[in-house]
Amino acid sequence: MSNLETQLLFDPICGMWLEPQEVASTYTYLQVTYAFCCGQCRDLFARAPEFHVAQLAHEPRQSAGYRCPHQC
Ligand SMILES: [Zn+2]
């Protein structure tokens, strides 16, 4: 693979940048798919998607600050 443009996906819950193969779970809300490092992050997002989407619209690189078990 010589593709240098690795697309990193932002986990808006814990703030991790994920390589595509690290994405454990996704959630689609209003036709936008969000990527998460684990099911716990996804569940937190799914609990209040409108809140997190509004937060992201305001501050795209600001995570919810949740420290999930995957983040060390
Ligand atoms: Zn996470």
Side-chain angles (χ1 to χ4, degrees), residues 55-66:
Q55 194 86 344
L56 282 170
H58 179 67
E59 195 70 74
R61 296 298 170 245
Q62 179 74 49
S63 75
Y66 174 70

Side-chain angles (χ1 to χ4, degrees), residues 12-13 27 34 36 41-49 52-53 56:
I13 295 300
Y27 184 80
Y34 300 90
F36 304 95
C41 284
R42 182 196 175 280
D43 288 348
L44 275 172
F45 188 91
R47 207 173 290 170
H52 291 294
V53 167
L56 282 170

Side-chain angles (χ1 to χ4, degrees), residues 1-2 6 11 16 18 28-29 34 40 55 63 65 68 72:
M1 280 246 297
S2 58
T6 309
D11 180 331
M16 274 178 73
L18 307 168
T28 302
Y29 180 72
Y34 300 90
Q40 286 178 36
Q55 194 86 344
S63 75
C68 65
C72 311

Side-chain angles (χ1 to χ4, degrees), residues 3-4 7-8 12 17 22-23 25 32 34 36-37 53-54 71-72:
N3 182 10
L4 293 174
Q7 262 208 318
L8 291 177
W17 285 95
E22 293 177 316
V23 174
S25 196
V32 178
Y34 300 90
F36 304 95
C37 68
V53 167
Q71 190 185 36
C72 311

